[in-house]
mmCIF file of all heavy atoms in Angstrom:
data_model
loop_
_atom_site.group_PDB
_atom_site.id
_atom_site.type_symbol
_atom_site.label_atom_id
_atom_site.label_comp_id
_atom_site.label_asym_id
_atom_site.label_seq_id
_atom_site.Cartn_x
_atom_site.Cartn_y
_atom_site.Cartn_z
ATOM 1 N N GLY A 235 0.702 6.607 -12.495
ATOM 2 C CA GLY A 235 1.225 7.603 -11.594
ATOM 3 C C GLY A 235 2.312 8.466 -12.216
ATOM 4 O O GLY A 235 3.191 8.912 -11.517
ATOM 5 N N THR A 236 2.242 8.683 -13.543
ATOM 6 C CA THR A 236 3.246 9.513 -14.200
ATOM 7 C C THR A 236 2.647 10.849 -14.616
ATOM 8 O O THR A 236 1.481 10.929 -15.000
ATOM 9 C CB THR A 236 3.828 8.815 -15.445
ATOM 10 O OG1 THR A 236 2.785 8.598 -16.384
ATOM 11 C CG2 THR A 236 4.474 7.509 -15.077
ATOM 12 N N VAL A 237 3.488 11.878 -14.508
ATOM 13 C CA VAL A 237 3.096 13.244 -14.918
ATOM 14 C C VAL A 237 4.155 13.725 -15.897
ATOM 15 O O VAL A 237 5.318 13.846 -15.525
ATOM 16 C CB VAL A 237 2.994 14.171 -13.710
ATOM 17 C CG1 VAL A 237 2.629 15.579 -14.160
ATOM 18 C CG2 VAL A 237 2.003 13.671 -12.703
ATOM 19 N N LEU A 238 3.772 13.981 -17.127
ATOM 20 C CA LEU A 238 4.693 14.422 -18.143
ATOM 21 C C LEU A 238 5.100 15.882 -17.909
ATOM 22 O O LEU A 238 4.266 16.741 -17.693
ATOM 23 C CB LEU A 238 4.037 14.292 -19.525
ATOM 24 C CG LEU A 238 4.905 14.610 -20.733
ATOM 25 C CD1 LEU A 238 6.050 13.619 -20.837
ATOM 26 C CD2 LEU A 238 4.071 14.583 -21.976
ATOM 27 N N ILE A 239 6.411 16.125 -17.968
ATOM 28 C CA ILE A 239 6.939 17.486 -17.783
ATOM 29 C C ILE A 239 7.289 18.085 -19.126
ATOM 30 O O ILE A 239 6.865 19.168 -19.479
ATOM 31 C CB ILE A 239 8.177 17.486 -16.870
ATOM 32 C CG1 ILE A 239 7.847 16.893 -15.507
ATOM 33 C CG2 ILE A 239 8.741 18.879 -16.725
ATOM 34 C CD1 ILE A 239 9.037 16.580 -14.662
ATOM 35 N N ALA A 240 8.133 17.373 -19.900
ATOM 36 C CA ALA A 240 8.566 17.874 -21.196
ATOM 37 C C ALA A 240 8.778 16.711 -22.136
ATOM 38 O O ALA A 240 9.073 15.597 -21.720
ATOM 39 C CB ALA A 240 9.867 18.654 -21.049
ATOM 40 N N GLN A 241 8.639 16.989 -23.423
ATOM 41 C CA GLN A 241 8.799 15.964 -24.438
ATOM 42 C C GLN A 241 9.658 16.506 -25.569
ATOM 43 O O GLN A 241 9.594 17.701 -25.884
ATOM 44 C CB GLN A 241 7.426 15.579 -24.998
ATOM 45 C CG GLN A 241 7.328 14.170 -25.447
ATOM 46 C CD GLN A 241 5.871 13.805 -25.745
ATOM 47 O OE1 GLN A 241 5.033 14.667 -25.975
ATOM 48 N NE2 GLN A 241 5.595 12.539 -25.734
ATOM 49 N N ASN A 242 10.456 15.642 -26.172
ATOM 50 C CA ASN A 242 11.310 16.042 -27.287
ATOM 51 C C ASN A 242 10.698 15.484 -28.572
ATOM 52 O O ASN A 242 11.050 14.398 -29.018
ATOM 53 C CB ASN A 242 12.738 15.499 -27.066
ATOM 54 C CG ASN A 242 13.733 16.075 -28.030
ATOM 55 O OD1 ASN A 242 13.373 16.816 -28.934
ATOM 56 N ND2 ASN A 242 14.977 15.700 -27.856
ATOM 57 N N ARG A 243 9.771 16.229 -29.149
ATOM 58 C CA ARG A 243 9.077 15.759 -30.358
ATOM 59 C C ARG A 243 9.996 15.748 -31.578
ATOM 60 O O ARG A 243 9.841 14.921 -32.461
ATOM 61 C CB ARG A 243 7.873 16.640 -30.630
ATOM 62 C CG ARG A 243 6.804 16.483 -29.592
ATOM 63 C CD ARG A 243 5.536 17.184 -30.011
ATOM 64 N NE ARG A 243 4.518 16.977 -29.010
ATOM 65 C CZ ARG A 243 3.779 17.918 -28.507
ATOM 66 N NH1 ARG A 243 3.927 19.149 -28.921
ATOM 67 N NH2 ARG A 243 2.874 17.664 -27.609
ATOM 68 N N LYS A 244 10.941 16.650 -31.601
ATOM 69 C CA LYS A 244 11.854 16.733 -32.736
ATOM 70 C C LYS A 244 12.723 15.482 -32.837
ATOM 71 O O LYS A 244 13.100 15.066 -33.930
ATOM 72 C CB LYS A 244 12.728 17.980 -32.605
ATOM 73 C CG LYS A 244 13.500 18.287 -33.847
ATOM 74 C CD LYS A 244 14.098 19.674 -33.745
ATOM 75 C CE LYS A 244 14.972 19.934 -34.935
ATOM 76 N NZ LYS A 244 14.331 20.590 -36.012
ATOM 77 N N ALA A 245 13.027 14.861 -31.706
ATOM 78 C CA ALA A 245 13.833 13.641 -31.726
ATOM 79 C C ALA A 245 13.114 12.523 -32.470
ATOM 80 O O ALA A 245 13.741 11.754 -33.208
ATOM 81 C CB ALA A 245 14.149 13.201 -30.299
ATOM 82 N N ARG A 246 11.819 12.409 -32.290
ATOM 83 C CA ARG A 246 11.046 11.378 -32.992
ATOM 84 C C ARG A 246 11.009 11.631 -34.489
ATOM 85 O O ARG A 246 10.863 10.711 -35.281
ATOM 86 C CB ARG A 246 9.650 11.275 -32.422
ATOM 87 C CG ARG A 246 9.648 10.841 -30.971
ATOM 88 C CD ARG A 246 8.231 10.734 -30.436
ATOM 89 N NE ARG A 246 8.183 10.732 -28.993
ATOM 90 C CZ ARG A 246 8.444 9.691 -28.235
ATOM 91 N NH1 ARG A 246 8.776 8.559 -28.769
ATOM 92 N NH2 ARG A 246 8.380 9.772 -26.916
ATOM 93 N N HIS A 247 11.131 12.889 -34.880
ATOM 94 C CA HIS A 247 11.140 13.247 -36.301
ATOM 95 C C HIS A 247 12.516 13.033 -36.928
ATOM 96 O O HIS A 247 12.614 12.560 -38.049
ATOM 97 C CB HIS A 247 10.700 14.693 -36.476
ATOM 98 C CG HIS A 247 10.782 15.212 -37.873
ATOM 99 N ND1 HIS A 247 9.928 14.765 -38.865
ATOM 100 C CD2 HIS A 247 11.615 16.080 -38.462
ATOM 101 C CE1 HIS A 247 10.246 15.373 -39.999
ATOM 102 N NE2 HIS A 247 11.266 16.176 -39.781
ATOM 103 N N ASP A 248 13.557 13.387 -36.187
ATOM 104 C CA ASP A 248 14.911 13.356 -36.729
ATOM 105 C C ASP A 248 15.606 11.987 -36.610
ATOM 106 O O ASP A 248 16.614 11.756 -37.268
ATOM 107 C CB ASP A 248 15.799 14.385 -36.018
ATOM 108 C CG ASP A 248 15.388 15.802 -36.395
ATOM 109 O OD1 ASP A 248 14.718 15.962 -37.425
ATOM 110 O OD2 ASP A 248 15.746 16.728 -35.650
ATOM 111 N N TYR A 249 15.105 11.117 -35.758
ATOM 112 C CA TYR A 249 15.778 9.837 -35.502
ATOM 113 C C TYR A 249 14.803 8.678 -35.572
ATOM 114 O O TYR A 249 13.628 8.810 -35.292
ATOM 115 C CB TYR A 249 16.404 9.846 -34.090
ATOM 116 C CG TYR A 249 17.438 10.916 -33.881
ATOM 117 C CD1 TYR A 249 17.107 12.109 -33.258
ATOM 118 C CD2 TYR A 249 18.757 10.729 -34.297
ATOM 119 C CE1 TYR A 249 18.046 13.101 -33.040
ATOM 120 C CE2 TYR A 249 19.700 11.717 -34.100
ATOM 121 C CZ TYR A 249 19.339 12.884 -33.480
ATOM 122 O OH TYR A 249 20.274 13.861 -33.283
ATOM 123 N N THR A 250 15.368 7.511 -35.916
ATOM 124 C CA THR A 250 14.632 6.265 -35.818
ATOM 125 C C THR A 250 14.986 5.654 -34.460
ATOM 126 O O THR A 250 16.156 5.375 -34.189
ATOM 127 C CB THR A 250 15.045 5.294 -36.930
ATOM 128 O OG1 THR A 250 14.823 5.923 -38.194
ATOM 129 C CG2 THR A 250 14.264 3.998 -36.855
ATOM 130 N N ILE A 251 14.002 5.458 -33.623
ATOM 131 C CA ILE A 251 14.223 4.982 -32.253
ATOM 132 C C ILE A 251 14.468 3.477 -32.266
ATOM 133 O O ILE A 251 13.657 2.722 -32.783
ATOM 134 C CB ILE A 251 13.014 5.325 -31.364
ATOM 135 C CG1 ILE A 251 12.647 6.809 -31.443
ATOM 136 C CG2 ILE A 251 13.260 4.890 -29.919
ATOM 137 C CD1 ILE A 251 13.732 7.761 -31.046
ATOM 138 N N GLU A 252 15.574 3.047 -31.670
ATOM 139 C CA GLU A 252 15.926 1.628 -31.604
ATOM 140 C C GLU A 252 15.558 1.041 -30.234
ATOM 141 O O GLU A 252 14.681 0.206 -30.122
ATOM 142 C CB GLU A 252 17.415 1.438 -31.866
ATOM 143 C CG GLU A 252 17.879 1.959 -33.236
ATOM 144 C CD GLU A 252 17.469 1.086 -34.373
ATOM 145 O OE1 GLU A 252 17.369 -0.143 -34.182
ATOM 146 O OE2 GLU A 252 17.240 1.617 -35.465
ATOM 147 N N ASP A 253 16.283 1.445 -29.179
ATOM 148 C CA ASP A 253 16.047 0.944 -27.818
ATOM 149 C C ASP A 253 15.700 2.101 -26.909
ATOM 150 O O ASP A 253 16.250 3.192 -27.028
ATOM 151 C CB ASP A 253 17.313 0.256 -27.264
ATOM 152 C CG ASP A 253 17.629 -1.031 -27.985
ATOM 153 O OD1 ASP A 253 16.682 -1.691 -28.439
ATOM 154 O OD2 ASP A 253 18.826 -1.368 -28.077
ATOM 155 N N ARG A 254 14.808 1.849 -25.941
ATOM 156 C CA ARG A 254 14.435 2.878 -24.978
ATOM 157 C C ARG A 254 14.869 2.452 -23.578
ATOM 158 O O ARG A 254 14.840 1.266 -23.250
ATOM 159 C CB ARG A 254 12.920 3.070 -24.977
ATOM 160 C CG ARG A 254 12.385 3.607 -26.239
ATOM 161 C CD ARG A 254 10.873 3.635 -26.172
ATOM 162 N NE ARG A 254 10.338 3.997 -27.479
ATOM 163 C CZ ARG A 254 9.392 4.885 -27.629
ATOM 164 N NH1 ARG A 254 8.860 5.480 -26.609
ATOM 165 N NH2 ARG A 254 8.975 5.179 -28.850
ATOM 166 N N TYR A 255 15.228 3.443 -22.772
ATOM 167 C CA TYR A 255 15.630 3.197 -21.407
ATOM 168 C C TYR A 255 14.990 4.266 -20.524
ATOM 169 O O TYR A 255 14.798 5.412 -20.942
ATOM 170 C CB TYR A 255 17.145 3.284 -21.241
ATOM 171 C CG TYR A 255 17.895 2.262 -22.047
ATOM 172 C CD1 TYR A 255 18.364 2.572 -23.317
ATOM 173 C CD2 TYR A 255 18.130 0.989 -21.547
ATOM 174 C CE1 TYR A 255 19.071 1.630 -24.053
ATOM 175 C CE2 TYR A 255 18.818 0.048 -22.290
ATOM 176 C CZ TYR A 255 19.284 0.372 -23.534
ATOM 177 O OH TYR A 255 19.976 -0.553 -24.273
ATOM 178 N N GLU A 256 14.700 3.880 -19.295
ATOM 179 C CA GLU A 256 14.216 4.842 -18.308
ATOM 180 C C GLU A 256 15.359 5.076 -17.327
ATOM 181 O O GLU A 256 15.885 4.133 -16.737
ATOM 182 C CB GLU A 256 12.999 4.287 -17.574
ATOM 183 C CG GLU A 256 12.451 5.243 -16.538
ATOM 184 C CD GLU A 256 11.256 4.658 -15.800
ATOM 185 O OE1 GLU A 256 11.455 3.746 -14.993
ATOM 186 O OE2 GLU A 256 10.141 5.130 -16.058
ATOM 187 N N ALA A 257 15.717 6.327 -17.148
ATOM 188 C CA ALA A 257 16.845 6.670 -16.276
ATOM 189 C C ALA A 257 16.385 7.645 -15.213
ATOM 190 O O ALA A 257 15.560 8.522 -15.458
ATOM 191 C CB ALA A 257 17.967 7.304 -17.096
ATOM 192 N N GLY A 258 16.950 7.502 -14.031
ATOM 193 C CA GLY A 258 16.774 8.513 -12.997
ATOM 194 C C GLY A 258 17.702 9.666 -13.324
ATOM 195 O O GLY A 258 18.597 9.565 -14.156
ATOM 196 N N ILE A 259 17.491 10.781 -12.640
ATOM 197 C CA ILE A 259 18.321 11.947 -12.904
ATOM 198 C C ILE A 259 18.675 12.604 -11.571
ATOM 199 O O ILE A 259 17.845 12.712 -10.679
ATOM 200 C CB ILE A 259 17.595 12.942 -13.854
ATOM 201 C CG1 ILE A 259 18.468 14.104 -14.233
ATOM 202 C CG2 ILE A 259 16.278 13.373 -13.296
ATOM 203 C CD1 ILE A 259 17.920 14.918 -15.377
ATOM 204 N N SER A 260 19.922 12.993 -11.455
ATOM 205 C CA SER A 260 20.418 13.635 -10.236
ATOM 206 C C SER A 260 20.142 15.138 -10.322
ATOM 207 O O SER A 260 20.694 15.812 -11.204
ATOM 208 C CB SER A 260 21.915 13.353 -10.097
ATOM 209 O OG SER A 260 22.420 13.990 -8.957
ATOM 210 N N LEU A 261 19.303 15.633 -9.424
ATOM 211 C CA LEU A 261 18.888 17.045 -9.477
ATOM 212 C C LEU A 261 19.098 17.743 -8.153
ATOM 213 O O LEU A 261 19.195 17.086 -7.097
ATOM 214 C CB LEU A 261 17.406 17.132 -9.840
ATOM 215 C CG LEU A 261 16.984 16.640 -11.186
ATOM 216 C CD1 LEU A 261 15.474 16.615 -11.278
ATOM 217 C CD2 LEU A 261 17.571 17.479 -12.299
ATOM 218 N N TRP A 262 19.150 19.086 -8.180
ATOM 219 C CA TRP A 262 19.181 19.894 -6.978
ATOM 220 C C TRP A 262 17.736 20.255 -6.606
ATOM 221 O O TRP A 262 16.812 20.104 -7.417
ATOM 222 C CB TRP A 262 19.972 21.165 -7.215
ATOM 223 C CG TRP A 262 21.408 20.935 -7.489
ATOM 224 C CD1 TRP A 262 22.100 19.752 -7.380
ATOM 225 C CD2 TRP A 262 22.360 21.904 -7.925
ATOM 226 N NE1 TRP A 262 23.406 19.935 -7.709
ATOM 227 C CE2 TRP A 262 23.595 21.246 -8.057
ATOM 228 C CE3 TRP A 262 22.285 23.247 -8.222
ATOM 229 C CZ2 TRP A 262 24.735 21.896 -8.461
ATOM 230 C CZ3 TRP A 262 23.425 23.890 -8.621
ATOM 231 C CH2 TRP A 262 24.641 23.232 -8.729
ATOM 232 N N GLY A 263 17.526 20.724 -5.408
ATOM 233 C CA GLY A 263 16.192 21.021 -4.901
ATOM 234 C C GLY A 263 15.450 22.046 -5.727
ATOM 235 O O GLY A 263 14.253 21.900 -6.009
ATOM 236 N N THR A 264 16.159 23.123 -6.147
ATOM 237 C CA THR A 264 15.449 24.150 -6.904
ATOM 238 C C THR A 264 15.087 23.656 -8.300
ATOM 239 O O THR A 264 14.113 24.131 -8.882
ATOM 240 C CB THR A 264 16.313 25.424 -7.020
ATOM 241 O OG1 THR A 264 17.568 25.075 -7.576
ATOM 242 C CG2 THR A 264 16.500 26.079 -5.676
ATOM 243 N N GLU A 265 15.837 22.689 -8.829
ATOM 244 C CA GLU A 265 15.496 22.118 -10.135
ATOM 245 C C GLU A 265 14.199 21.339 -10.054
ATOM 246 O O GLU A 265 13.336 21.420 -10.932
ATOM 247 C CB GLU A 265 16.623 21.218 -10.624
ATOM 248 C CG GLU A 265 17.856 21.973 -11.025
ATOM 249 C CD GLU A 265 18.999 21.062 -11.401
ATOM 250 O OE1 GLU A 265 19.218 20.046 -10.712
ATOM 251 O OE2 GLU A 265 19.652 21.361 -12.417
ATOM 252 N N VAL A 266 14.032 20.585 -8.979
ATOM 253 C CA VAL A 266 12.809 19.805 -8.791
ATOM 254 C C VAL A 266 11.615 20.738 -8.654
ATOM 255 O O VAL A 266 10.548 20.502 -9.259
ATOM 256 C CB VAL A 266 12.924 18.863 -7.579
ATOM 257 C CG1 VAL A 266 11.636 18.119 -7.343
ATOM 258 C CG2 VAL A 266 14.067 17.872 -7.776
ATOM 259 N N LYS A 267 11.773 21.809 -7.909
ATOM 260 C CA LYS A 267 10.680 22.763 -7.748
ATOM 261 C C LYS A 267 10.314 23.421 -9.064
ATOM 262 O O LYS A 267 9.136 23.614 -9.381
ATOM 263 C CB LYS A 267 11.064 23.838 -6.722
ATOM 264 C CG LYS A 267 11.117 23.287 -5.314
ATOM 265 C CD LYS A 267 11.475 24.372 -4.319
ATOM 266 C CE LYS A 267 11.485 23.815 -2.913
ATOM 267 N NZ LYS A 267 11.691 24.864 -1.925
ATOM 268 N N SER A 268 11.319 23.726 -9.870
ATOM 269 C CA SER A 268 11.060 24.300 -11.176
ATOM 270 C C SER A 268 10.355 23.286 -12.079
ATOM 271 O O SER A 268 9.443 23.657 -12.841
ATOM 272 C CB SER A 268 12.379 24.749 -11.804
ATOM 273 O OG SER A 268 12.148 25.366 -13.052
ATOM 274 N N LEU A 269 10.750 22.032 -12.011
ATOM 275 C CA LEU A 269 10.086 20.987 -12.814
ATOM 276 C C LEU A 269 8.646 20.767 -12.361
ATOM 277 O O LEU A 269 7.779 20.479 -13.180
ATOM 278 C CB LEU A 269 10.878 19.681 -12.726
ATOM 279 C CG LEU A 269 12.213 19.670 -13.445
ATOM 280 C CD1 LEU A 269 12.936 18.365 -13.179
ATOM 281 C CD2 LEU A 269 12.048 19.882 -14.931
ATOM 282 N N ARG A 270 8.386 20.881 -11.071
ATOM 283 C CA ARG A 270 7.020 20.742 -10.589
ATOM 284 C C ARG A 270 6.109 21.833 -11.155
ATOM 285 O O ARG A 270 4.897 21.664 -11.246
ATOM 286 C CB ARG A 270 6.967 20.751 -9.072
ATOM 287 C CG ARG A 270 7.551 19.499 -8.467
ATOM 288 C CD ARG A 270 6.967 19.177 -7.117
ATOM 289 N NE ARG A 270 7.636 18.066 -6.521
ATOM 290 C CZ ARG A 270 7.380 16.787 -6.790
ATOM 291 N NH1 ARG A 270 6.451 16.497 -7.681
ATOM 292 N NH2 ARG A 270 8.016 15.819 -6.197
ATOM 293 N N MET A 271 6.703 22.974 -11.510
ATOM 294 C CA MET A 271 5.923 24.042 -12.138
ATOM 295 C C MET A 271 5.743 23.762 -13.611
ATOM 296 O O MET A 271 5.082 24.533 -14.321
ATOM 297 C CB MET A 271 6.651 25.371 -11.933
ATOM 298 C CG MET A 271 6.692 25.811 -10.481
ATOM 299 S SD MET A 271 7.713 27.274 -10.217
ATOM 300 C CE MET A 271 6.742 28.490 -11.074
ATOM 301 N N GLY A 272 6.326 22.679 -14.143
ATOM 302 C CA GLY A 272 6.140 22.302 -15.533
ATOM 303 C C GLY A 272 7.029 23.069 -16.492
ATOM 304 O O GLY A 272 6.709 23.219 -17.649
ATOM 305 N N ARG A 273 8.165 23.542 -15.995
ATOM 306 C CA ARG A 273 9.026 24.378 -16.825
ATOM 307 C C ARG A 273 10.298 23.626 -17.172
ATOM 308 O O ARG A 273 11.212 23.544 -16.362
ATOM 309 C CB ARG A 273 9.364 25.667 -16.071
ATOM 310 C CG ARG A 273 8.134 26.446 -15.675
ATOM 311 C CD ARG A 273 8.466 27.629 -14.831
ATOM 312 N NE ARG A 273 9.389 28.494 -15.559
ATOM 313 C CZ ARG A 273 10.258 29.287 -14.978
ATOM 314 N NH1 ARG A 273 10.376 29.310 -13.690
ATOM 315 N NH2 ARG A 273 11.055 30.057 -15.703
ATOM 316 N N ALA A 274 10.391 23.112 -18.377
ATOM 317 C CA ALA A 274 11.617 22.450 -18.850
ATOM 318 C C ALA A 274 11.545 22.317 -20.360
ATOM 319 O O ALA A 274 10.465 22.360 -20.962
ATOM 320 C CB ALA A 274 11.743 21.078 -18.220
ATOM 321 N N SER A 275 12.708 22.143 -20.975
ATOM 322 C CA SER A 275 12.786 21.971 -22.415
ATOM 323 C C SER A 275 13.895 20.986 -22.752
ATOM 324 O O SER A 275 15.011 21.102 -22.250
ATOM 325 C CB SER A 275 13.062 23.320 -23.083
ATOM 326 O OG SER A 275 13.305 23.129 -24.447
ATOM 327 N N LEU A 276 13.577 20.018 -23.599
ATOM 328 C CA LEU A 276 14.549 19.028 -24.030
ATOM 329 C C LEU A 276 14.921 19.207 -25.498
ATOM 330 O O LEU A 276 15.583 18.360 -26.078
ATOM 331 C CB LEU A 276 13.991 17.605 -23.862
ATOM 332 C CG LEU A 276 13.765 17.133 -22.446
ATOM 333 C CD1 LEU A 276 13.059 15.766 -22.461
ATOM 334 C CD2 LEU A 276 15.050 17.045 -21.685
ATOM 335 N N SER A 277 14.527 20.324 -26.108
ATOM 336 C CA SER A 277 14.661 20.472 -27.549
ATOM 337 C C SER A 277 16.116 20.451 -28.035
ATOM 338 O O SER A 277 16.396 19.950 -29.103
ATOM 339 C CB SER A 277 13.965 21.735 -28.013
ATOM 340 O OG SER A 277 14.556 22.856 -27.429
#
Side-chain angles (χ1 to χ4, degrees):
T236 61
V237 178
L238 185 65
I239 301 167
Q241 211 170 22
N242 190 356
R243 292 190 178 132
K244 191 167 175 94
R246 296 181 198 281
H247 175 71
D248 291 341
Y249 299 98
T250 303
I251 307 301
E252 301 286 329
D253 292 329
R254 295 175 187 226
Y255 299 94
E256 180 181 72
I259 185 168
S260 178
L261 296 171
W262 295 351
T264 55
E265 290 175 317
V266 176
K267 289 181 178 186
S268 183
L269 290 175
R270 289 207 185 278
M271 293 173 67
R273 302 175 58 208
S275 172
L276 293 174
S277 62

